[in-house]
Amino acid sequence: MSRNTILLVDDDASLIELLAMRLEANNYHVLTAHRGTQALQILQQSVVDLVITDLRMAHMDGFELFENIKKNHVGLPVIMMTAHGSIPDAVDAMQQGFVSFLSKPIESKALLEAIENTLKNNKKRDGATNRNHFYGLIYQSSAMHQVVQHIQALAPSQANILIQGASGTGKEVTANAIHKASNYCDGPFVAINCGAVPAHLLESELFGHKKGAFTGAMQDKVGLVQSANGGTLFLDEIGDMPMDLQVKLLRVLQERTVRPVGGQVEQSVDIRFVSASHKNLQQAVIDKEFREDLYYRLNVVSIHLPALKERPEDIPLLANSFVKRISDGQKVISPQAMTCLLNYHWPGNVRQLNNIIEHAVALSSGKLITADIIENAIPELGQASFKGLNDAKKQFEYDYIQKVLSLCQGNVAEAAKLAQRNRSDFYKLLKKHQISC
């Protein structure tokens, strides 16, 4: 089982070293920073489960650091510690959102209890069977870790959420994760792609209709809004909804009632609304293609999903998961095939990766999915500009080392092990290609 990672922040180097030793002895993975700006750099590069920071530090104090964490790492728990412990400090810290407050000198028992309680409370909000899975979201990258922390913080509320990101980044999977982590998890999760339903049918699909409301309405129909009562309604590609229906949806959001087409009676609904779009809805508002009032109703809180090329560390995890699911555990990806996947730019994102894996599983006659099968499934891999053999080898070696280091988060010893080279040889390769860690 993966160890929880704790980031310690204090300008007292000796204290940091002592606390790190205590926590490492209790099976925690510890990162350290001696100033707030260094802590923020670490948070951009590493997956962290908990931050413990000093209150009084030069240049950036604990409160300023916490404000930055709240803004850019939503849901990441922070414990405050200070040698200047006082009731006002403690009250102020807790009111601002710190999960706990510790006074120096730090007692080991109090420290470990605070950490254990914090991680336990976070785990209750985490639907992951392990650190890399969260209700269908598969990840190990820092970028997706931040998305999951954001979901964990937002899910218990009733706030409407707008998910934005390129096509194929996993917006419906994310919406489903929000639903399962929310207080509406016992109700239905109902999804509709607003761009896939013809405009003249979308109103009836959403709101339902009464018998005889229009030609062809042979019986009453319950709409998706009513069907989602007590649960979550996911409106995918909301930017494609016609303007006249946007007005009616706005009324549902404001009044929490719905009237079927041809009906006279308003029906109350209790729904969590999650919407998504690959379009820039702010620009659509400016271009008068999307109602401004509806935009702000839907976008109470927003979540941005990174493109797959922005989270390359997740490619092996996703690919192996897809292979296991599609082949029922009967096939595996060769290291050379995985290198092909890592070298591709994935314009279609996670959806394209899933499709390529389906293709590869279907084409592979044996247990092993080889590089040639992946190259066959992704024609662009064979269409790069032709290089001489020496240049091609050099470029491959450089790219391979960069990928391995990225997967190991810059840990040279782990990278050498993954590359099946001893550490001395791996350092020579780093020097040869002028790569610094």
Side-chain angles (χ1 to χ4, degrees):
M1 182 177 294
S2 300
R3 295 186 296 167
N4 290 109
T5 299
I6 298 174
L7 173 60
L8 296 176
V9 190
D10 199 315
D11 50 13
D12 185 339
S14 59
L15 176 64
I16 283 285
E17 184 177 357
L18 176 62
L19 293 180
M21 290 174 58
R22 290 179 184 175
L23 296 181
E24 289 282 2
N26 283 272
N27 202 35
Y28 291 109
H29 178 228
V30 180
L31 302 174
T32 61
H34 299 297
R35 57 187 182 277
T37 52
Q38 184 184 6
L40 294 176
Q41 290 174 352
I42 291 173
L43 289 174
Q44 289 295 329
Q45 300 166 359
S46 305
V47 174
V48 173
D49 300 295
L50 171 65
V51 176
I52 302 176
T53 180
D54 189 25
L55 174 61
R56 312 293 183 190
M57 295 184 294
H59 307 298
M60 178 184 289
D61 66 16
F63 283 117
E64 188 178 352
L65 173 61
F66 181 57
E67 286 301 315
N68 192 292
I69 290 173
K70 283 198 298 184
K71 179 180 179 181
N72 298 302
H73 306 275
V74 178
L76 177 60
V78 182
I79 293 176
M80 173 73 78
M81 58 182 179
T82 179
H84 310 277
S86 66
I87 292 177
D89 279 341
V91 171
D92 194 15
M94 300 305 284
Q95 286 180 341
Q96 290 199 38
F98 288 90
V99 296
S100 189
F101 187 93
L102 297 170
S103 294
K104 297 178 181 178
I106 307 297
E107 296 181 1
S108 290
K109 183 178 179 181
L111 173 65
L112 293 173
E113 285 182 352
I115 292 172
E116 184 179 348
N117 291 335
T118 299
L119 295 176
K120 186 185 298 182
N121 289 336
N122 261 32
K123 190 174 180 181
K124 288 179 181 178
R125 297 187 300 165
D126 191 344
T129 54
N130 57 57
R131 289 186 67 202
N132 303 126
H133 294 72
F134 181 82
Y135 293 122
L137 293 173
I138 301 170
Y139 68 97
Q140 64 180 6
S141 64
S142 178
M144 281 303 296
H145 184 69
Q146 290 179 34
V147 169
V148 169
Q149 286 182 323
H150 206 165
I151 293 172
Q152 289 175 311
L154 296 172
S157 74
Q158 292 183 312
N160 298 330
I161 297 176
L162 175 64
I163 304 170
Q164 293 193 284
S167 295
T169 48
K171 292 188 282 291
E172 184 167 347
V173 176
T174 302
N176 200 18
I178 293 169
H179 168 70
K180 290 178 178 176
S182 75
N183 296 330
Y184 289 93
C185 60
D186 292 330
F189 174 77
V190 178
I192 181 172
N193 187 320
C194 299
V197 180
H200 66 283
L201 296 178
L202 186 56
E203 181 177 10
S204 174
E205 284 294 311
L206 281 173
F207 310 126
H209 63 251
K210 305 299 289 185
K211 180 180 178 180
F214 51 83
T215 303
M218 307 302 294
Q219 59 186 11
D220 290 353
K221 175 183 174 64
V222 175
L224 296 180
V225 174
Q226 297 99 313
S227 298
N229 192 27
T232 301
L233 179 63
F234 174 52
L235 300 166
D236 197 6
E237 299 302 348
I238 187 69
D240 293 331
M241 179 176 284
M243 292 290 281
D244 59 329
L245 283 190
Q246 291 180 28
V247 178
K248 297 180 180 180
L249 177 61
L250 179 64
R251 177 176 175 79
V252 175
L253 289 164
Q254 291 174 330
E255 305 297 331
R256 298 287 164 168
T257 60
V258 60
R259 180 190 299 173
V261 178
Q264 302 298 319
V265 180
E266 298 279 351
Q267 302 173 17
S268 297
V269 289
D270 178 21
I271 294 174
R272 172 70 169 278
F273 286 92
V274 180
S275 52
S277 177
H278 73 281
K279 294 182 176 179
N280 184 332
L281 291 187
Q282 280 187 312
Q283 186 60 48
V285 169
I286 294 172
D287 295 339
K288 307 297 182 184
E289 295 175 354
F290 199 84
R291 291 184 62 94
E292 183 176 19
D293 46 7
L294 178 59
Y295 172 72
Y296 287 113
R297 280 283 180 179
L298 294 171
N299 189 28
V300 175
V301 185
S302 65
I303 292 176
H304 176 75
L305 295 182
L308 186 55
K309 66 182 179 182
E310 297 170 359
R311 42 183 289 215
E313 314 95 296
D314 295 338
I315 291 174
L317 202 65
L318 287 162
N320 286 326
S321 176
F322 294 157
V323 168
K324 184 177 179 180
R325 172 177 54 82
I326 295 167
S327 72
D328 197 23
Q330 299 302 305
K331 298 180 186 295
V332 294
I333 302 176
S334 73
Q336 295 80 7
M338 188 65 75
T339 299
C340 290
L341 296 177
L342 287 167
N343 284 335
Y344 189 53
H345 58 285
W346 298 109
N349 296 295
V350 180
R351 182 188 296 125
Q352 184 187 14
L353 175 60
N354 183 75
N355 292 341
I356 292 299
I357 295 300
E358 284 189 357
H359 188 139
V361 168
L363 288 177
S364 59
S365 56
K367 181 178 178 64
L368 196 65
I369 297 175
T370 57
D372 61 313
I373 292 175
I374 295 297
E375 290 172 353
N376 182 279
I378 310 176
E380 298 97 312
L381 286 176
Q383 295 175 359
S385 57
F386 194 83
K387 296 182 178 180
L389 181 58
N390 289 335
D391 288 341
K393 285 181 177 179
K394 186 177 180 180
Q395 185 64 48
F396 172 82
E397 200 171 68
Y398 177 85
D399 292 341
Y400 179 82
I401 293 170
Q402 291 283 24
K403 292 293 184 183
V404 169
L405 285 170
S406 176
L407 290 172
C408 297
Q409 298 183 343
N411 187 312
V412 175
E414 291 295 327
K417 185 178 179 181
L418 182 61
Q420 300 178 21
R421 292 289 183 271
N422 63 52
R423 197 182 305 183
S424 176
D425 287 344
F426 198 79
Y427 271 114
K428 289 179 182 177
L429 288 172
L430 295 177
K431 185 176 180 180
K432 172 184 174 182
H433 292 284
Q434 298 180 331
I435 298 173
S436 58
C437 296

